[in-house]
Amino acid sequence: MEELPVPHNIKISNITCDSFKILWEMDSKSKDRITHYFIDLNKKENKNSNKFKHKDVPTKLVAKAVPLPMTVRGHWFLSPRTEYTVAVQTASKQVDGDYVVSEWSEIIEFCTADYSKVHLAQLLEKAEVIAGRMLKFTVFYRNQHKEYFDYIREQHGNAMQPSVKDNSGSHGSPISGKLEGIFFSCSTEFNTGKPPQDSPYGRYRFEIAAEKLFNPNTNLYFGDFYCMYTAYHYVILVIAPVGSPGDEFCKQRLPQLNSKDNKFLTCTEEDGMLVYHHAQDVILEVIYTDPVDLSLGTVAEITGHQLMSLSTANAKKDPSCKTCNISVGR
């Protein structure tokens, strides 16, 4: 009996955060005997391939020989933004239920995509459920060490510069490692209505009137929703001046929020004045996508403690939390 054709020239396309299409070529000889395809998928960082050594043992995915390209979805819990290797062999199911299989194809590498707007909309809905009531606030603030502000004055002409967001939060977030911005907070203490005196990020605080960053000339986007094995949750929002590079980046990748009416951060007008509210039950991390001059606000030392344990720098999301995870991966 002639050997089954070995798949070659494998092509991966239509990659999302949890699916892909796969296509390959085969010699026509014995092609009509093929009843199934075996597909072996491994995370690239896994040095020890789980591929079975014996040709007569089915591998991870046994798929009926459907017309190519074949969509692979739901067979594994694919993780977003993750490098994988894939190899294929053809198989013919025998009368006794066993399989005759070809040699393995070459191994192909590919990387899954970030969350799409559809997936982020699912995260957004989950975040809205726990956002809580809205509290009034008047300033955005950013805590850093004294050396940071000295450096900004001496090396950047007094203007804080956007930097690339770290990898904290959801693994599939399209802003991690890509969006440039400046992190701000706006949370207030319930009893005082003012920013807390403690901070994880440094003893010096830059405060700026809310209307300087968030106003009718800016757009607001939902960026992420996550926790770090804790009871409290974080929501990342992005404020981008209309028409700016940051605005164009977000428009293509993130759900846009109505600045006047959403569950997290609002800017409304009352008696000719802009009034601001933030959600009480989530910790907001606000990214502003343009440079901010220190002369637009004030820098002063806080009186509280530096709580390093609350830092979210490169923090990994809890993949088991039912509150802030969606079903397409982590």
Side-chain angles (χ1 to χ4, degrees), residues 34-47:
I34 297 171
T35 61
H36 292 77
Y37 304 132
F38 294 170
I39 300 177
D40 183 36
L41 185 78
N42 289 285
K43 283 188 177 180
K44 189 178 174 184
E45 62 260 31
N46 181 6
K47 302 299 182 189

Side-chain angles (χ1 to χ4, degrees), residues 114-290:
D114 297 333
Y115 284 156
S116 68
K117 279 188 178 181
V118 172
H119 301 115
L120 288 171
Q122 295 173 22
L123 268 185
L124 169 60
E125 286 182 16
K126 281 180 161 278
E128 288 175 335
V129 172
I130 69 159
R133 71 189 187 98
M134 304 290 277
L135 299 178
K136 190 176 285 191
F137 77 100
T138 58
V139 298
F140 289 102
Y141 56 94
R142 172 175 172 79
N143 275 70
Q144 281 285 354
H145 300 284
K146 182 177 182 294
E147 292 76 16
Y148 168 82
F149 292 110
D150 290 342
Y151 175 77
I152 294 302
R153 293 185 187 99
E154 294 164 9
Q155 302 296 325
H156 289 288
N158 221 41
M160 293 185 289
Q161 300 297 316
S163 58
V164 177
K165 184 196 170 296
D166 66 11
N167 288 315
S168 60
S170 299
H171 189 58
S173 171
I175 61 177
S176 291
K178 295 180 180 178
L179 177 67
E180 294 188 0
I182 306 170
F183 264 105
F184 286 92
S185 299
C186 62
S187 299
T188 54
E189 291 182 324
F190 178 74
N191 56 342
T192 66
K194 295 181 178 180
Q197 280 302 310
D198 299 327
S199 168
Y201 300 110
R203 294 194 55 80
Y204 283 78
R205 174 174 294 168
F206 171 73
E207 284 192 10
I208 184 170
E211 61 264 24
K212 296 283 180 64
L213 300 186
F214 188 28
N215 54 59
N217 296 317
T218 57
N219 284 326
L220 180 67
Y221 297 91
F222 172 82
D224 201 3
F225 176 45
Y226 71 101
C227 72
M228 304 180 297
Y229 303 88
T230 53
Y232 44 87
H233 281 78
Y234 296 84
V235 169
I236 297 179
L237 302 176
V238 183
I239 297 175
V242 174
S244 66
D247 189 35
E248 293 304 314
F249 177 96
C250 294
K251 197 171 290 182
Q252 297 173 31
R253 297 168 178 84
L254 306 180
Q256 186 171 348
L257 301 177
N258 182 341
S259 297
K260 297 178 181 179
D261 183 19
N262 66 81
K263 299 286 189 182
F264 311 109
L265 187 71
T266 60
C267 168
T268 56
E269 192 171 325
E270 294 179 16
D271 300 324
M273 303 282 288
L274 294 179
V275 179
Y276 295 87
H277 291 83
H278 71 81
Q280 176 185 1
D281 294 342
V282 291
I283 299 174
L284 295 181
E285 297 183 306
V286 180
I287 300 176
Y288 186 77
T289 62
D290 270 14

Side-chain angles (χ1 to χ4, degrees), residues 43-106:
K43 283 188 177 180
K44 189 178 174 184
E45 62 260 31
N46 181 6
K47 302 299 182 189
N48 303 313
S49 173
N50 290 327
K51 203 180 301 175
F52 290 97
K53 292 179 181 177
H54 303 291
K55 288 201 333 179
D56 57 346
V57 181
T59 186
K60 289 182 179 178
L61 173 64
V62 180
K64 286 188 176 179
V66 297
L68 300 176
M70 182 174 78
T71 298
V72 179
R73 177 190 289 113
H75 301 290
W76 299 276
F77 287 107
L78 286 170
S79 296
R81 201 186 276 203
T82 303
E83 292 185 328
Y84 288 94
T85 61
V86 63
V88 186
Q89 58 184 175
T90 57
S92 178
K93 192 170 186 178
Q94 307 299 293
V95 177
D96 60 5
D98 286 342
Y99 289 92
V100 174
V101 296
S102 71
E103 296 289 342
W104 282 103
S105 70
E106 75 270 31

